[in-house]
Amino acid sequence: MKKTFGAFVLTSVLLLVACSTETEQKEDNLVTLQENHVPFELAIPSHFPDMVIPKDNPLTVAKVELGKQLFFDPSLSVDGSVSCASCHLPSKAFSDVLAVSQGVKGAVTERNSPSLMNIGFHPIFMREGAVPTLELQVLSPLEGETEMAHNIVLACERLNQDSTYRARFQEVFGQSATPFTLTRAIAAYERTLIGGDAPFDAYLLGDSTALTPLQQQGYALFTSDRLACSSCHSGVLLSSFALEHNGLKPRDTDPGLMRLTLNEADRGKFKVPSLRNIALTAPYMHDGRFASLEAVIEHYNKGGDGVTNQDERIRSLSLQEDEKEALLAFFDALTEASGKGE
Amino acid sequence: MQLKQTYQWITGLTLVAALVALTSFSGCGNGGPIDPPKPPDVAEITLSFDLENGSEELAFQAPFTDVMGYQHRLLTLKFYLSNLVLVKADGSTEEVDEVVLFDYKPIDPSLNNPQWTREVSFTLPSGDYTGIQFGVGIPADINDEDPTTYANEDPLSAFSNMYWNWATMYRFIILEAESDTGTGSFDHDILIHTGLDDLYRTSPVYPISLSLASGDQAALTLSLDWNDIWYAEGASILLKEEHITHTTDTQEDFDLASRFTDNFVAGLKINQE
């Protein structure tokens, strides 16, 4: 009977070990999958804030490479004519040269294409700021009727018909292209679009010669109480990322934040854009109405269009010509080498 | 003595084999008492949706004339029901589905993709049921879910085309039609997209009378009269002028979406077959 009991104990132990081994095996697979992937080390400048990386989307070299390939692939659009990069040109700090971009079949979008440089540091996305993550943001252009006009599931099906893509998704995610993996890959790539190498950055890091005297004058004006540009375009990223009304007269039916809140007080409010690479990203404003930075400065100089909901900080500035030149010179100093596609 | 030891060893092996067999049935990590499987004590209910024009069932894309004399062709009608519960005779409730998506469009057999229909089925414990209740739309606690985390077949997946990407929330009802409001051609688009937490509505408890034994199948029909959507007493919609809303954008859009939603929900009826 002792032996019977012994056999029982032995078997129980063996079964427990078997169960434990099975569980550990699953965990091992997960760990192995992750360990096989080389983490992507973001080159975040020392004076930049930390970047929040979602737990469900750790950066790996392979994932970023896949995301980059997808970003430049027009097959994500319904007719294969438009990629993300069509409206986010690397040489223009990942913005567009058109007032409002063109989607598939000549469709015209409603808004100016924003720069994607340093986009991983933004806390909210889209002009009315309703999208909380880069992953979810991917859905908007991909499925937008005037942009890529696709359905993300069908876009994934198309990708999975390509043996190369199928293998790459399998390698990166251990599964095929799905709405989850596709959005994670593109967002991962977008998080790597980091600048921080503009003359302005060198100046912030202590190189007092990085800005010309005129640029330094422009910077002083920019941050002065009189102009108060930096009250909205604040911090190292030159944006508060708040939703503000910058005094633009409504031109179309785009109500900005009010689209989301239905509050009349939010009509015309849009996310404050970062001014990094601003010299590269013409035309300007949410609808691309201004072709040049001179026109932008003039808008603020006159105190905006004097419209309902206009922020009280938008007021007449009485800028002298040399001050306008100084501001323009300062804006040039915000151009990152990586924003020019270098 | 040797025989006794052999006997004990065989007995031990038998016990071990029995233990292994039982453990295999129960599966690792699922502990607890091992009972022989019982047939599930459940019944099945099919809930189908009918859109009507007066007393006639409305056919998808086929022209029809409403009570105002306007002609329409229905192009899209999709909507969510959520928190679907059946009320038991003792007043307690049985939740049968968290989210259901109805799509009035007929199945396209040429497509291999997930498709939603005018009919859903669900199982529930046998018993006596006296009512059914649901929400129209997606409740706030899951309205901000990430659609890419759902399988394609799930009503909350990106594939359902019900997600408002820019707002990161779901549309609740999509109704699209083309109409002839007196011009002689179908040149008047109806485009109604409702959403936002404020437009989530909970239905009344519709009375039913179902005594379901194990294995029973029952059918309920959710019906809606097109005319009740637009010409409800006290909340009429002037279809000539009020025919497009995305709920957001303007207060007028929201007001129209709100009236549409209220009429839609108020017009729903449950019929028991």
Side-chain angles (χ1 to χ4, degrees):
Chain A
M1 200 61 205
K2 275 182 183 173
K3 282 188 179 172
T4 305
F5 179 72
F8 175 82
V9 170
L10 176 65
T11 309
S12 300
V13 169
L14 284 173
L15 284 167
L16 280 172
V17 168
C19 280
S20 173
T21 306
E22 184 186 329
T23 308
E24 283 169 7
Q25 187 65 47
K26 286 176 184 168
E27 289 171 358
D28 283 348
N29 288 342
L30 271 178
V31 172
T32 306
L33 194 63
Q34 288 167 357
E35 282 180 351
N36 281 348
H37 292 178
V38 180
F40 188 97
E41 300 294 339
L42 286 173
I44 299 178
S46 60
H47 60 303
F48 270 35
D50 290 336
M51 188 185 291
V52 177
I53 309 291
K55 284 181 182 170
D56 69 1
N57 198 20
L59 297 188
T60 65
V61 172
K63 190 190 292 180
V64 169
E65 284 174 0
L66 175 59
K68 183 176 183 179
Q69 186 178 354
L70 292 163
F71 187 88
F72 288 91
D73 189 344
S75 75
L76 291 187
S77 60
V78 70
D79 63 358
S81 65
V82 173
S83 72
C84 305
S86 300
C87 303
H88 296 283
L89 309 171
S91 62
K92 298 294 178 186
F94 292 87
S95 70
D96 201 356
V97 295
L98 300 172
V100 290
S101 298
Q102 286 188 350
V104 297
K105 299 170 187 168
V108 178
T109 60
E110 294 175 340
R111 293 172 175 172
N112 180 253
S113 179
S115 167
L116 298 187
M117 282 302 296
N118 309 300
I119 194 72
F121 298 101
H122 291 215
I124 53 174
F125 305 92
M126 308 298 282
R127 296 282 185 181
E128 62 276 293
V131 178
T133 67
L134 267 176
E135 284 75 9
L136 281 172
Q137 193 279 332
V138 172
L139 288 168
S140 277
L142 200 148
E143 295 194 330
E145 286 182 13
T146 57
E147 297 185 59
M148 300 165 91
H150 215 334
N151 175 285
I152 192 167
V153 177
L154 299 181
C156 290
E157 283 182 9
R158 184 185 290 172
L159 291 172
N160 289 328
Q161 287 167 7
D162 180 311
S163 58
T164 307
Y165 265 127
R166 214 167 45 240
R168 297 211 64 189
F169 271 96
Q170 197 66 37
E171 175 201 347
V172 173
F173 294 102
Q175 56 179 301
S176 60
T178 67
F180 183 87
T181 57
L182 174 60
T183 54
R184 268 63 189 172
I186 293 177
Y189 167 62
E190 291 176 332
R191 288 198 173 90
T192 68
L193 305 179
I194 297 173
D197 50 5
F200 176 60
D201 294 299
Y203 185 79
L204 289 179
L205 291 171
D207 180 358
S208 60
T209 65
L211 298 188
T212 66
L214 191 61
Q215 288 172 332
Q216 291 186 37
Q217 182 192 344
Y219 182 36
L221 278 167
F222 186 82
T223 54
S224 67
D225 290 341
R226 179 179 147 229
L227 269 62
C229 307
S230 60
S231 67
C232 289
H233 298 286
S234 56
V236 71
L237 294 169
L238 299 163
S239 173
S240 63
F241 302 112
L243 291 134
E244 309 283 10
H245 193 306
N246 66 349
L248 286 173
K249 186 178 179 182
R251 179 179 280 180
D252 48 31
T253 54
D254 189 343
L257 178 60
M258 184 192 158
R259 187 183 183 198
L260 189 68
T261 65
L262 293 168
N263 184 349
E264 272 295 338
D266 292 330
R267 182 187 291 279
K269 287 185 178 177
F270 295 91
K271 178 183 162 189
V272 174
S274 167
L275 295 194
R276 285 189 165 270
N277 301 295
I278 194 69
L280 296 173
T281 62
Y284 302 102
M285 303 300 176
H286 67 274
D287 54 5
R289 70 177 64 185
F290 295 139
S292 66
L293 279 173
E294 286 85 348
V296 174
I297 290 175
E298 207 47 58
H299 169 75
Y300 290 114
N301 188 36
K302 74 175 183 180
D305 292 331
V307 292
T308 306
N309 295 340
Q310 177 172 313
D311 193 289
E312 59 184 15
R313 289 167 291 184
I314 309 296
R315 61 193 189 287
S316 179
L317 301 175
S318 303
L319 288 169
Q320 303 300 307
E321 287 306 311
D322 65 321
E323 292 177 320
K324 294 177 188 174
E325 286 176 20
L327 285 170
L328 285 170
F330 171 62
F331 294 151
D332 273 338
L334 303 179
T335 301
E336 299 165 328
S338 39
K340 293 186 284 190
E342 295 172 359
Chain B
M1 190 65 184
Q2 199 168 6
L3 189 65
K4 190 177 178 185
Q5 281 181 340
T6 304
Y7 171 78
Q8 283 180 341
W9 182 241
I10 290 171
T11 306
L13 277 179
T14 306
L15 279 169
V16 166
L19 179 65
V20 168
L22 284 171
T23 310
S24 300
F25 279 122
S26 66
C28 287
N30 284 337
I34 301 159
D35 296 322
K38 290 179 183 173
D41 184 17
V42 294
E44 182 178 272
I45 291 184
T46 299
L47 178 64
S48 54
F49 173 71
D50 277 347
L51 184 62
E52 297 161 346
N53 178 38
S55 59
E56 294 183 359
E57 186 176 321
L58 197 152
F60 187 73
Q61 291 187 330
F64 66 95
T65 304
D66 72 14
V67 296
M68 293 291 285
Y70 298 152
Q71 278 202 300
H72 311 280
R73 278 197 289 250
L74 181 71
L75 305 179
T76 307
L77 176 56
K78 296 164 73 176
F79 63 98
Y80 283 117
L81 296 188
S82 56
N83 295 334
L84 191 59
V85 297
L86 265 75
V87 182
K88 293 179 182 172
D90 64 4
S92 63
T93 58
E94 182 74 34
E95 180 167 315
V96 291
D97 228 324
E98 191 177 17
V99 176
V100 165
L101 176 61
F102 284 102
D103 188 344
Y104 207 68
K105 184 175 66 179
I107 285 280
D108 182 347
S110 70
L111 298 177
N112 294 321
N113 305 310
Q115 297 183 66
W116 289 271
T117 69
R118 297 160 52 178
E119 191 174 284
V120 294
S121 295
F122 42 84
T123 56
L124 73 171
S126 58
D128 296 333
Y129 294 95
T130 60
I132 182 171
Q133 187 178 32
F134 46 79
V136 177
I138 300 296
D141 61 333
I142 55 172
N143 199 17
D144 60 354
E145 294 277 307
D146 178 348
T148 68
T149 61
Y150 288 93
N152 294 347
E153 297 75 17
D154 195 293
L156 294 175
S157 76
F159 197 58
S160 69
N161 271 334
M162 293 296 282
Y163 195 66
W164 256 331
N165 295 323
W166 71 271
T168 58
M169 58 181 79
Y170 290 89
R171 287 171 287 193
F172 297 167
I173 307 170
I174 294 179
L175 188 154
E176 296 174 351
E178 49 191 17
S179 306
D180 173 0
T181 54
T183 62
S185 63
F186 287 91
D187 56 1
H188 191 74
D189 291 337
I190 296 177
L191 195 71
I192 308 285
H193 294 194
T194 76
L196 297 183
D197 294 343
D198 285 347
L199 292 190
Y200 181 78
R201 297 287 184 268
T202 302
S203 79
V205 177
Y206 297 95
I208 57 174
S209 179
L210 289 175
S211 290
L212 299 173
S214 180
D216 278 358
Q217 294 184 323
L220 297 172
T221 303
L222 183 66
S223 65
L224 177 65
D225 189 328
W226 170 273
N227 300 288
D228 288 341
I229 301 174
W230 310 103
Y231 315 123
E233 195 173 333
S236 185
I237 293 172
L238 303 172
L239 254 184
K240 270 191 172 180
E241 291 86 30
E242 301 175 302
H243 56 104
I244 296 178
T245 177
H246 289 88
T247 304
T248 60
D249 292 353
T250 68
Q251 190 61 48
E252 290 74 24
D253 282 346
F254 180 81
D255 291 342
L256 174 55
S258 182
R259 261 183 298 149
F260 172 89
T261 300
D262 288 338
N263 291 351
F264 189 99
V265 177
L268 290 170
K269 295 179 178 65
I270 287 283
N271 308 303
Q272 183 178 337
E273 294 171 15

